[in-house]
Amino acid sequence: MRRISRRLIGVFIVLIFPYTLFAQVMGIEDAVNAALSNYPSLSAAQSALEALRVNAQLIKDNRLPNVRLHDQINVGTANGLSGSYFSMGLIVPTSGGRRPENSSDLASGNIALATADWEVYNFGRFQAEDRLARADILVGEAAVENEKFGIRQTVINTYLELLWLRQTLKIEERNIARVDTARRIIGNLVNNGIRPGLDSSLASVEFSRAKLNYFQMQEELQRAFIQLATLTARPVNALEIDTSFQQQALLMQPIEIKLTADHPLLRYRTNLVNRQTSEIELIRKSALPRVSLLTSAWARGTSLDIDNNFGPIGSGFGFSRTNFLVGIAATVNLMDFHRIKNRSQMQQWRVKQASSQLETQQFQLQNMLTTSDSVMATVRLALLELPTALNSAERAYQQRLSLYNNGLENILGLTDALQLLTTVEKQAVNIQRRAVNVRLHRAYATSNFEDFFSLFRRQ
């Protein structure tokens, strides 16, 4: 009967999850590495970092001198009047002599211009911009590491979920086999008139319930496989996990690890604080004067002579006058000193916000590490108690089954023994899950996964 039950379970596995028989086995570290190589959000974070690096170069390029070359040849009238005005970019300036009448004669001209201006000194604003750009890059690098850390955690959690679902599925398989065995025994006893027909009905109900639990577990397992396949960019039908891990290692004292400032979550928050602080300095420097070096040279030709008489049009296309100009200019906006006061205050609040977030993150990680270390001894005691609990539940089931066969136990007692054995087996998986999670929490709190990954490496 047990052989028939095992065949039945085998049929379930082939029908519902046939691809697991042919897929390549993936370890937990392989799954993490695959996700880190292919996950889109990591590529997005890396692209954002490269943009910050290019932006740092753009900031330097913006400090190069502005050098402009210009040449224009014009033909038009040249009627001038005395007076001043703001051109506003709309009025075309005209250079010509004043005449008593408006003339429609044409004059030609040629103007060539070369100008350069270079901001050579600004009391440290350039250095403040560079520091802010470097701080942005550090934040971007920390964001990439932060994203890797989050992806690693997601993959590990999904992998572990598959591991525990697989173990629970095996329990459901054994439960179906046990219930089916009991159902067949009860059916024979009922057919021979030894047991009432109610026992056969109750056994059938228990068998159906066991199969429903099995199908539900298969559904959850398939969902977890799809999630892991998505994370690792692998086809679902080519994905299988290594379900073995070093259970005895859970009883050993783990290596001592401490929370350090190099944790990806803390490094990101620290760099963010430094970045916000660097912006305060840039805000203060931005109001200081700017010293620029100015140079200009131009040449001009016109068909008007020195007496303002119109000459041949072609005579204005050459150059007859040249000029140059060199100067130093200092520019300051006095109202900027008032503006930076409020901007600095606003930025200081941002620094305070970032500092508080850093302290909160430190507190959370330290609390996770302390909690994991404190509950580890209790979890170890539970692991030590597991063999006794499993053996006792197995013996109780076998004894109830034997008593039932001999007419000394009723169907309810046998059902209770079956359910108790299944419950203890699931509790064993849950305790192992808790023990592994304690190790995972320690790894998460310290960003040291070596001890955790060693649980899943084959010896």
Side-chain angles (χ1 to χ4, degrees):
M1 294 182 197
R2 288 182 178 272
R3 186 174 301 172
I4 296 175
S5 300
R6 291 190 185 120
R7 288 178 180 175
L8 179 62
I9 299 301
V11 171
F12 284 155
I13 294 176
V14 172
L15 291 179
I16 299 176
F17 250 161
Y19 56 82
T20 59
L21 301 176
F22 310 102
Q24 183 178 4
V25 176
M26 174 184 288
I28 190 169
E29 291 180 90
D30 297 329
V32 169
N33 293 333
L36 293 179
S37 301
N38 301 286
Y39 205 63
S41 65
L42 183 59
S43 177
Q46 188 66 47
S47 298
L49 172 59
E50 294 303 323
L52 290 173
R53 288 172 174 163
V54 173
N55 182 66
Q57 184 59 47
L58 289 177
I59 291 174
K60 290 182 171 60
D61 292 343
N62 289 337
R63 300 170 191 166
L64 295 174
N66 295 315
V67 179
R68 301 179 181 88
L69 301 177
H70 176 75
D71 184 84
Q72 59 176 274
I73 298 175
N74 305 303
V75 176
T77 58
N79 296 297
L81 286 175
S82 300
S84 300
Y85 56 88
F86 292 102
S87 71
M88 304 298 291
L90 303 174
I91 301 175
V92 179
T94 297
S95 178
R98 292 175 296 166
R99 297 183 179 84
E101 75 284 345
N102 193 62
S103 175
S104 59
D105 293 337
L106 298 179
S108 62
N110 188 5
I111 299 176
L113 176 68
T115 63
D117 61 273
W118 186 18
E119 188 175 333
V120 293
Y121 186 70
N122 48 35
F123 299 91
R125 183 172 60 84
F126 285 160
Q127 291 80 0
E129 288 176 346
D130 289 338
R131 283 190 288 270
L132 180 60
R134 287 194 297 269
D136 281 334
I137 292 175
L138 290 176
V139 170
E141 291 174 344
V144 171
E145 294 302 316
N146 201 14
E147 186 67 22
K148 288 181 179 179
F149 187 81
I151 293 172
R152 180 187 295 113
Q153 194 67 18
T154 301
V155 173
I156 290 175
N157 288 334
T158 305
Y159 191 98
L160 291 179
E161 183 66 19
L162 276 172
L163 177 64
W164 306 131
L165 285 172
R166 272 295 175 82
Q167 293 198 9
T168 306
L169 188 65
K170 291 179 181 178
I171 294 174
E172 296 295 348
E173 291 173 0
R174 292 196 297 268
N175 185 47
I176 290 178
R178 287 192 292 257
V179 173
D180 187 50
T181 299
R183 182 177 66 90
R184 293 176 181 275
I185 293 174
I186 293 170
N188 291 332
L189 294 175
V190 170
N191 291 334
N192 294 326
I194 301 175
R195 288 290 184 177
L198 178 62
D199 286 9
S200 178
S201 299
L202 292 176
S204 297
V205 170
E206 189 66 23
F207 184 60
S208 296
R209 194 172 68 87
K211 288 193 291 183
L212 291 176
N213 289 338
Y214 181 84
F215 295 147
Q216 180 182 356
M217 197 59 58
Q218 278 281 10
E219 179 184 346
E220 294 180 11
L221 185 67
Q222 188 170 9
R223 291 179 186 275
F225 260 109
I226 292 173
Q227 182 177 356
L228 185 62
T230 302
L231 289 169
T232 57
R234 301 289 179 87
V236 179
N237 58 358
L239 182 64
E240 176 57 39
I241 66 168
D242 187 351
T243 57
S244 62
F245 70 97
Q246 308 300 322
Q247 299 184 24
Q248 292 301 318
L250 295 175
L251 298 173
M252 301 173 58
Q253 185 67 27
I255 60 175
E256 183 179 356
I257 48 180
K258 296 182 179 180
L259 177 63
T260 65
D262 198 46
H263 194 289
L265 299 179
L266 296 182
R267 189 163 65 247
Y268 174 76
R269 295 295 179 186
T270 301
N271 288 335
L272 190 58
V273 171
N274 295 335
R275 189 266 173 208
Q276 301 292 52
T277 304
S278 297
E279 188 166 349
I280 292 179
E281 183 181 7
L282 177 58
I283 290 172
R284 291 171 178 170
K285 296 290 186 181
S286 63
L288 297 178
R290 305 179 182 187
V291 179
S292 301
L293 176 64
L294 307 175
T295 62
S296 179
W298 66 98
R300 186 174 182 183
T302 180
S303 62
L304 297 174
D305 61 19
I306 59 174
D307 295 323
N308 206 30
N309 296 316
F310 291 92
I313 294 296
S315 63
F317 296 154
F319 299 113
S320 57
R321 296 291 187 271
T322 59
N323 295 280
F324 72 91
L325 187 65
V326 178
I328 296 178
T331 305
V332 62
N333 187 339
L334 296 179
M335 296 308 295
D336 281 346
F337 291 101
H338 174 73
R339 296 187 181 100
I340 65 170
K341 180 180 179 181
N342 292 330
R343 289 181 60 195
S344 296
Q345 289 179 348
M346 179 179 67
Q347 191 62 26
Q348 285 170 352
W349 284 112
R350 290 175 177 171
V351 171
K352 187 174 181 179
Q353 178 190 16
S355 299
S356 298
Q357 291 172 341
L358 173 60
E359 293 175 3
T360 301
Q361 191 72 75
Q362 288 174 326
F363 174 79
Q364 292 174 343
L365 293 175
Q366 186 61 55
N367 183 63
M368 180 180 292
L369 179 60
T370 303
T371 302
S372 300
D373 289 340
S374 64
V375 303
M376 188 167 294
T378 304
V379 174
R380 191 180 296 115
L381 292 175
L383 287 171
L384 291 172
E385 189 63 26
L386 280 182
T388 302
L390 289 170
N391 290 334
S392 299
E394 178 66 30
R395 287 197 302 269
Y397 164 68
Q398 294 297 338
Q399 291 170 2
R400 289 288 181 91
L401 182 60
S402 177
L403 291 172
Y404 184 87
N405 287 334
N406 295 317
L408 301 177
E409 181 63 270
N410 57 33
I411 184 64
L412 296 179
L414 179 59
T415 301
D416 289 342
L418 273 170
Q419 293 178 353
L420 177 62
L421 177 56
T422 302
T423 300
V424 172
E425 288 178 336
K426 290 182 178 180
Q427 188 176 17
V429 173
N430 185 52
I431 291 173
Q432 290 178 352
R433 178 202 290 260
R434 285 161 48 198
V436 172
N437 282 346
V438 168
R439 301 295 184 102
L440 178 59
H441 290 164
R442 295 180 82 247
Y444 181 90
T446 59
S447 188
N448 187 339
F449 288 84
E450 180 60 29
D451 184 58
F452 174 78
F453 283 143
S454 66
L455 298 173
F456 301 89
R457 292 171 183 159
R458 293 182 177 271
Q459 299 297 326

